[in-house]
Amino acid sequence: MAAKPDRDTQAGLRWLIEIGADEAIDKVPRDRLAASPAAAIGHRSNPPPPVAPAGLRPIGPGAESQSDLITDARARAAACETLADLARAVGEFDRCALKLTAKNTVFADGNPAAGLMLIGEAPGAEEDRKGIPFVGRAGQLLDRMLAAIGRDRTGAYITNMLFWRPPGNRNPTAEEIALCAPFVERHVVLVRPKVLVFVGAIAAKTLLDRSEGISRLRGRWFDYTAAGHDAPFQATAIFHPAYLLRRPGQKRETWRDLLAIKARLETDCSDP
Ligand code: URA
């Protein structure tokens, strides 16, 4: 039987979990304090870039600012003509610090031709392990919500605002969200959904550029305008299924929202 770790080791482990270092990245432990900085930023599917990414902060003279990083993300996203281009561009994008701790890039799941596109927040542990969005408990509830309006993942296309799991499921920072947003915006333009659904506050507030909370944004319809596309998309917001797991009383409101989404999907586009 393995010996019980002493009190200091237990305290150290607790601290690591609290700061979000709760996932094994390698098969064997590595002393990263002893390793060179270059070795410490390796990513499973992406070799370290030539310049150590600054996370999102400039480090010293000549380092890129957050706005340089966003400009770069915008240019990369705008150059994508197809979803395959975009998936590749996101997979190759090494400027978001979240990628350093994530196991996988989580791009999207479902059918881009379905007419219904949902945008959540960020992958969790299960999504990070599988590289597929919404496959954990919240994802299973989302599947049941879709089933309630007669859809499954062949009848919906699902992605997130962030393509990498924030360590320990912490909230993504404003900088991380802003850095991924150009890819998300391009994602919408390439999918061209009939109905766009923001799942939770982060997607709704960011893409609609609104400051209200999700309780005020849900149940309403908005014109979402994306760079590179003239006509606005019909968009609405719903409570995040992770929130509904904690507050099942709100499912009633969500049922109404889902019925409104179903009705919009069934509306003939040529209707006035
Ligand atoms: N929550 C999200 O917002 N997205 C996922 O993919 C999983 C959980």
Side-chain angles (χ1 to χ4, degrees):
M1 198 173 76
K4 195 171 171 211
D6 63 33
R7 203 181 279 219
D8 283 352
T9 308
Q10 285 180 28
L13 285 171
R14 254 196 313 276
W15 181 76
L16 284 171
I17 290 166
E18 276 161 17
I19 62 162
D22 61 349
E23 289 282 325
I25 293 175
D26 290 331
K27 288 206 167 66
V28 290
R30 198 180 329 164
D31 183 352
R32 286 174 184 270
L33 294 175
S36 69
I41 59 166
H43 185 271
R44 207 174 69 154
S45 52
N46 302 82
V51 178
L56 300 159
R57 282 158 283 117
I59 42 163
E64 287 166 297
S65 67
Q66 167 75 1
S67 80
D68 290 339
L69 294 174
I70 293 176
T71 303
D72 177 50
R74 274 210 197 103
R76 287 167 187 254
C80 296
E81 295 295 338
T82 64
L83 283 176
D85 291 345
L86 188 71
R88 198 173 318 111
V90 169
E92 288 169 357
F93 188 64
D94 276 330
R95 299 340 267 290
C96 181
L98 293 177
K99 193 172 190 181
L100 304 178
T101 46
K103 286 193 174 69
N104 279 301
T105 297
V106 180
F107 183 68
D109 191 30
N111 177 5
L116 172 62
M117 179 174 188
L118 297 105
I119 306 181
E121 182 179 318
E126 200 60 22
E127 289 78 15
D128 183 39
R129 252 191 296 280
K130 299 198 170 130
I132 303 171
F134 281 103
V135 288
R137 273 188 75 218
Q140 287 157 20
L141 177 55
L142 185 65
D143 283 343
R144 292 200 293 280
M145 288 157 64
L146 288 172
I149 53 166
R151 301 221 163 204
D152 59 15
R153 293 196 184 207
T154 63
Y157 184 76
I158 303 175
T159 186
N160 280 307
M161 287 303 297
L162 281 299
F163 301 101
W164 302 279
R165 180 195 181 209
N169 293 346
R170 65 158 169 75
N171 288 331
T173 64
E175 288 83 1
E176 289 158 354
I177 295 168
L179 200 48
C180 291
F183 295 105
V184 179
E185 198 170 325
R186 189 76 189 144
H187 211 160
V188 176
V189 172
L190 293 174
V191 171
R192 292 176 190 243
K194 182 171 180 187
V195 170
L196 179 60
V197 179
F198 305 124
V199 182
I202 290 193
K205 290 168 77 166
T206 307
L207 295 176
L208 293 172
D209 195 18
R210 307 282 290 228
S211 58
E212 300 103 304
I214 187 68
S215 301
R216 290 191 182 276
L217 294 174
R218 61 145 285 276
R220 294 162 62 185
W221 288 92
F222 301 90
D223 281 344
Y224 169 68
T225 318
H229 189 75
D230 292 339
F233 295 96
Q234 301 178 71
T236 189
I238 58 173
F239 285 129
H240 195 286
Y243 171 75
L244 294 175
L245 286 171
R246 294 192 303 273
R247 301 282 299 273
Q250 301 287 357
K251 283 184 183 169
R252 208 163 64 149
E253 305 299 332
T254 304
W255 173 235
R256 275 198 209 120
D257 298 343
L258 290 169
L259 290 179
I261 291 166
K262 182 173 192 285
R264 266 307 152 117
L265 284 163
E266 288 165 1
T267 310
D268 186 337
C269 285
S270 56
D271 284 356

